[in-house]
Amino acid sequence: MTTMESLIGLVNRIQRACTMLGDYGGGDNAFSSLWEALPSVAVVGGQSSGKSSVLESVVGRDFLPRGSGIVTRRPLVLQLHKTEDGSQEYAEFLHLPKRRFTDFSMVRKEIQDETDRVTGKTKQISPIPIHLSIYSPNVVNLTLIDLPGLTKVAVEGQPDTIVEDIESMVRSYVEKPNSVILAISPANQDIATSDAMKLAREVDPTGERTFGVLTKLDLMDKGTNALDVLEGRSYRLQHPWVGIVNRSQADINRNIDMIVARRKEREYFATSPDYGHLAGKMGSEYLAKLLSKHLESVIRSRIPSITSLINKSIEELESEMDHLGRPIAVDAGAQLYTILELCRAFDRIFKEHLDGGRPGGDRIYGVFDNQLPAALRKLPFDRHLSLQNVKKVVSEADGYQPHLIAPEQGYRRLIEGSLSYFRGPAEASADAVHFVLKELVRKSIGETQELKRFPTLQAEIAAAANEALERFRDEGRKTVIRLVDMEASYLTVEFFRKLPQEVEKAGNPGNSGNTASQAVDRYSDGHFRRIGSNVSSYVGMVSETLRTTIPKAIVYCQVREAKLSLLNHFYTQIGRKEVLSRSLSYLYAIGMSIRLSSY
Ligand SMILES: Nc1nc2c(ncn2[C@@H]2O[C@H](COP(=O)(O)OP(=O)(O)OP(=O)(O)O)[C@@H](O)[C@H]2O)c(=O)[nH]1
């Protein structure tokens, strides 16, 4: 491998590591700054300027989606890898690591499908890149990023903001000082109106990192030529302009082969009266070499800062790994599957305990059927509703003015005071079920034969399951407390409506005119006893309700969750660990190859 090849290959590998971690310049961790430090070539141009055509002829293959409107709706990070002459050409997507595409029409389809997977079938755009590698003897090592074409109007079905959205996405790529801008303009349009040049001038006013490409030279009016642009008089850039002749729509319709098209392009320049003297510096093949060489020199100058960023990323990953715990297996990829299988075996047994088939789940019913009702019965309402306490609470609620008809405030206070006693048994039930579940986890781990050989994994599963159960318990407790509080926050109205009549009846046995005896009776012990017994029957009613709703809440929050998602967190975590450890070994390898080479 020549130095140039390995340098660009190096950057390709780092870019893959970044994408693997779900980063593409968005966040503010070491990885996104690493991504940003990497040079790449961003292809910018207005719609129909010939962007796709240029990319395809640089690659020497048809593989980009075609159609009207905005076809490129996600950035496409295209990594070209030169392989030995005569070797089979193939393509690979980062999101489908196991699949080699040799049929390039399938590559086109996969780009379309993968675009739709993120954006939906809508015409939305998304900044999440698709990574495609092409291995071919007909390419030079190069990383290109294809971006949506700049447009001036939204088409049917697209949000009005699409014009700005595309511009700001493209801008986010080209404004990075490390990006090389491949600005595509059609020769049959005034260069002064080119969308690509407008944006390039804004982000790179000195033209240091802009490569101007002029397409459609063959479509210029007879008798005119683009020498003013190509020789740098119309628009000055630090790098030379490159003229291109792509396949026309008719060529495409006639399925003119890419390699044939490249040859025709060479012939076009070689025989052109206008451009003959520039022939050696025109055409898509020359463009590819020019870019590759430039990219290499940029990368070379960045090696020291890239190395230090890699080290910083490694440090960050290491510390995240320390935090999550090291992966159990050495060969993470293969073992991840085994681990998940083992977890599932455990999960199955755990569910059998809950659903029956294995003992233990019945103990949850025991909590609801015995423990909870017993605890409810034992609540000290007798004391709370004793004659003495009722008198005290009611008088306190009355204040300086004793109640006239029914002691509404007194009732409320007595009821609220009583209801608060329900919190204890409610929480105790959540705890009791929690302990049953915990015990079932312990048992299930012991009964999972497959786990016998993996004590560490056993411990990790136990820890993860118990942690999940704790979370479910917290939720269960919160919910049952809420049930109790709900009872206290709104009392059943009918119950109160009945009260005054009862008091009235009880206070006036057949003597409705005698207010004096009524008054005496109202403050007699009998009166307070009646209040106590009214409250007691209200509380009894609530107790009945809670006896049935508390189990529902606990099953919903704890038992059901344990069945559905006991190890979900754990699965996410080991998945993350796997990705981290893969990225880490990746970066170590890259760091190593930088140290070993003499860049
Ligand atoms: N004759 C001729 N036609 C070209 C040339 N370059 C592009 N075309 C044609 O112009 C049309 C648009 O080219 P594309 O490569 O699809 O342009 P694009 O910028 O990718 O377009 P969008 O993806 O729609 O933004 C196609 O029909 C091409 O065949 C060229 O150099 N000469």
Side-chain angles (χ1 to χ4, degrees):
M1 236 198 275
T2 69
T3 314
M4 180 167 96
E5 280 162 358
S6 48
L7 266 175
I8 292 175
L10 169 79
V11 168
N12 285 352
R13 280 153 67 200
I14 306 176
Q15 280 174 336
R16 282 160 163 259
C18 291
T19 305
M20 211 141 62
L21 283 160
D23 249 306
Y24 32 86
D28 53 357
N29 54 25
F31 256 97
S32 54
S33 31
L34 179 56
W35 172 273
E36 249 141 74
L38 302 173
S40 55
V41 180
V43 185
V44 187
Q47 265 185 28
S48 281
S49 57
K51 256 176 327 101
S52 318
S53 302
V54 170
L55 273 171
E56 287 183 328
S57 69
V58 163
V59 176
R61 273 292 188 174
D62 286 275
F63 66 98
L64 289 172
R66 298 206 174 252
S68 56
I70 301 173
V71 180
T72 311
R73 288 183 287 118
R74 287 174 62 181
L76 176 74
V77 178
L78 181 62
Q79 304 184 328
L80 305 180
H81 311 258
K82 183 170 173 55
T83 53
E84 272 170 34
D85 279 344
S87 55
Q88 162 90 307
E89 263 178 307
Y90 67 93
E92 240 175 39
F93 287 94
L94 186 63
H95 65 272
L96 293 172
K98 300 253 145 63
R99 219 173 125 194
R100 278 188 176 197
F101 288 75
T102 47
D103 177 354
F104 280 75
S105 64
M106 295 307 287
V107 172
R108 168 178 302 153
K109 181 165 182 308
E110 182 55 36
I111 295 176
Q112 264 158 355
D113 293 351
E114 176 59 20
T115 300
D116 289 345
R117 252 167 243 147
V118 167
T119 61
K121 287 256 180 223
T122 56
K123 298 269 161 78
Q124 309 275 26
I125 57 169
S126 157
I128 303 171
I130 299 174
H131 278 249
L132 173 64
S133 285
I134 293 181
Y135 299 81
S136 159
N138 306 322
V139 298
V140 292
N141 289 300
L142 191 59
T143 299
L144 296 157
I145 302 174
D146 188 17
L147 294 163
L150 296 164
T151 163
K152 294 201 169 67
V153 281
V155 302
E156 184 73 11
Q158 285 171 343
D160 295 336
T161 55
I162 194 126
V163 176
E164 295 108 78
D165 289 348
I166 292 180
E167 197 188 305
S168 66
M169 188 205 296
V170 173
R171 190 187 295 273
S172 74
Y173 277 86
V174 295
E175 71 189 356
K176 285 173 200 150
N178 286 317
S179 107
V180 176
I181 305 166
L182 191 63
I184 312 246
S185 315
N188 57 353
Q189 257 174 40
D190 188 355
I191 197 76
T193 65
S194 157
D195 296 313
M197 295 321 293
K198 225 166 70 204
L199 188 58
R201 192 199 294 272
E202 253 179 67
V203 297
D204 176 32
T206 55
E208 289 170 82
R209 48 191 186 90
T210 301
F211 285 79
V213 172
L214 210 56
T215 56
K216 305 192 182 180
L217 288 173
D218 58 319
L219 293 184
M220 292 186 73
D221 290 336
K222 276 224 155 50
T224 62
N225 64 48
L227 283 175
D228 276 350
V229 176
L230 292 178
E231 292 179 336
R233 288 186 293 278
S234 306
Y235 192 113
R236 246 200 114 58
L237 292 170
Q238 310 279 333
H239 305 282
W241 279 81
V242 179
I244 296 262
V245 177
N246 289 311
R247 292 177 305 171
S248 64
Q249 191 56 51
D251 291 341
I252 294 174
N253 297 346
R254 274 191 288 138
N255 267 327
I256 296 285
D257 179 48
M258 227 23 165
I259 302 296
V260 174
R262 277 186 181 178
R263 198 188 64 228
K264 279 175 71 178
E265 187 189 30
R266 266 199 310 273
E267 282 164 13
Y268 175 89
F269 285 111
T271 59
S272 159
D274 290 324
Y275 312 118
H277 65 295
L278 296 172
K281 302 191 156 187
M282 293 286 131
S284 34
E285 280 171 287
Y286 175 75
L287 176 67
K289 285 187 194 125
L290 184 69
L291 288 176
S292 181
K293 225 166 96 199
H294 177 73
L295 201 55
E296 189 221 330
S297 74
V298 175
I299 294 172
R300 190 187 302 280
S301 68
R302 298 279 146 72
I303 287 287
S305 62
I306 291 175
T307 311
S308 77
L309 275 171
I310 287 180
N311 290 337
K312 189 161 160 252
S313 306
I314 288 179
E315 259 168 48
E316 262 186 31
L317 286 182
E318 288 282 8
S319 83
E320 191 175 346
M321 286 280 263
D322 286 340
H323 181 70
L324 284 178
R326 299 273 149 183
I328 303 151
V330 192
D331 175 8
Q335 302 257 3
L336 179 64
Y337 180 79
T338 323
I339 293 175
L340 292 181
E341 283 298 295
L342 295 174
C343 290
R344 277 191 211 107
F346 155 78
D347 211 33
R348 250 193 322 274
I349 292 179
F350 178 68
K351 279 190 187 125
E352 283 173 18
H353 276 294
L354 283 179
D355 290 336
R358 285 174 196 261
D362 50 313
R363 282 175 47 208
I364 293 174
Y365 180 67
V367 171
F368 300 150
D369 195 44
N370 302 319
Q371 207 167 319
L372 174 64
L376 291 175
R377 273 195 303 275
K378 274 194 218 121
L379 291 176
F381 294 128
D382 291 353
R383 210 177 335 120
H384 188 65
L385 298 176
S386 66
L387 183 59
Q388 198 187 2
N389 197 46
V390 169
K391 263 187 192 166
K392 179 168 163 283
V393 173
V394 171
S395 326
E396 277 174 13
D398 277 351
Y400 73 92
Q401 162 87 75
H403 61 274
L404 298 178
I405 298 170
E408 173 145 345
Q409 272 312 315
Y411 267 110
R412 279 185 190 280
R413 289 198 189 174
L414 284 169
I415 290 173
E416 274 162 26
S418 308
L419 293 189
S420 66
Y421 285 109
F422 286 123
R423 291 163 160 246
E427 283 191 325
S429 304
D431 289 347
V433 169
H434 173 74
F435 288 117
V436 175
L437 292 172
K438 242 175 112 165
E439 176 58 18
L440 292 183
V441 163
R442 201 186 57 77
K443 266 197 179 151
S444 306
I445 287 181
E447 290 164 14
T448 311
Q449 291 308 320
E450 295 92 323
L451 274 175
K452 288 269 184 286
R453 283 172 31 234
F454 304 99
T456 326
L457 184 59
Q458 275 184 24
E460 291 202 34
I461 291 180
N466 286 332
E467 193 234 45
L469 289 181
E470 301 277 344
R471 261 186 291 118
F472 303 152
R473 174 185 43 193
D474 287 350
E475 215 32 58
R477 275 189 178 175
K478 255 192 243 153
T479 308
V480 293
I481 291 300
R482 206 167 262 172
L483 284 179
V484 173
D485 289 351
M486 274 156 60
E487 289 294 345
S489 73
Y490 191 70
L491 307 182
T492 309
V493 181
E494 289 82 56
F495 185 88
F496 273 94
R497 290 222 173 107
K498 279 189 270 162
L499 285 184
Q501 296 166 358
E502 280 173 29
V503 169
E504 198 72 22
K505 262 187 265 154
N508 300 303
N511 186 1
S512 59
N514 190 340
T515 46
S517 81
Q518 199 180 328
V520 166
D521 184 66
R522 181 157 291 162
Y523 302 105
S524 70
D525 284 358
H527 172 64
F528 287 111
R529 225 171 257 127
R530 257 191 313 279
I531 293 176
S533 93
N534 284 334
V535 170
S536 166
S537 72
Y538 186 84
V539 169
M541 182 176 84
V542 172
S543 175
E544 270 308 296
T545 310
L546 290 176
R547 202 168 56 79
T548 57
T549 52
I550 287 175
K552 287 176 205 281
I554 290 177
V555 168
Y556 183 80
C557 298
Q558 295 175 241
V559 183
R560 183 176 143 279
E561 278 306 309
K563 257 171 75 176
L564 291 178
S565 65
L566 188 62
L567 292 180
N568 279 9
H569 264 225
F570 187 57
Y571 291 149
T572 332
Q573 245 184 29
I574 49 181
R576 175 85 186 142
K577 266 191 230 174
E578 211 257 332
V579 169
L580 282 180
S581 79
R582 255 198 307 157
S583 310
L584 248 181
S585 48
Y586 224 64
L587 285 183
Y588 275 125
I590 294 166
M592 184 66 76
S593 72
I594 293 184
R595 271 190 297 282
L596 290 179
S597 57
S598 48
Y599 295 136

